[in-house]
Amino acid sequence: MTSADAATTRYDFAFAPSYRWAALPFGVLPGTTWAELGPGGLRVRFGPWRLRTGLDNIAGAERSGGFGFLKTAGPAHLSFSDRGVTFATNGDDAVCVRFHSPVRGIDPTGLITHPGATLTVSDPPAFLDHLEVLTR
């Protein structure tokens, strides 16, 4: 993690033991799961899934959590209510990032795009502070 500078930082995901087992068959492992935030934008890898967007497309972000295991464990999840994508490795603490223009993530063809992404990074406050520095 970086301090208040604008360097690119890789944020690991916080894996709960039950989520680790549920994610394993989908290739979602600590070594294949991360979020990078820096002057070049946001890049996320969640096993085989990828998401990328520029800083100018980030509309805002806030903490979230309290997710149900069945709705979030295992692979990337699509919300049918708002088309958001969830990359979850625990149900307790996450960052929800909103986009001005929807981005690709769960569907490699790009037919499904997401107005937001939920990321269970290991240090949500540091991620949010870094994002604030980059987008002011």
Side-chain angles (χ1 to χ4, degrees), residues 42-117:
L42 172 65
R43 291 183 350 146
V44 180
R45 179 172 179 195
F46 193 75
W49 294 275
R50 308 282 193 283
L51 182 147
R52 170 180 255 163
T53 194
L55 293 175
D56 59 342
N57 192 37
I58 297 176
E62 61 272 335
R63 282 182 81 171
S64 61
F67 311 123
F69 180 82
L70 293 177
K71 289 186 175 186
T72 57
H77 286 265
L78 174 67
S79 168
F80 291 111
S81 63
D82 68 1
R83 291 186 352 269
V85 64
T86 298
F87 300 124
T89 56
N90 72 75
D92 301 321
D93 202 5
V95 173
C96 181
V97 182
R98 294 180 299 2
F99 308 116
H100 292 292
S101 297
V103 299
R104 294 168 65 164
I106 204 167
D107 171 22
T109 68
L111 294 175
I112 299 171
T113 56
H114 313 288

Side-chain angles (χ1 to χ4, degrees), residues 13 35 41 134:
F13 275 59
L134 291 169

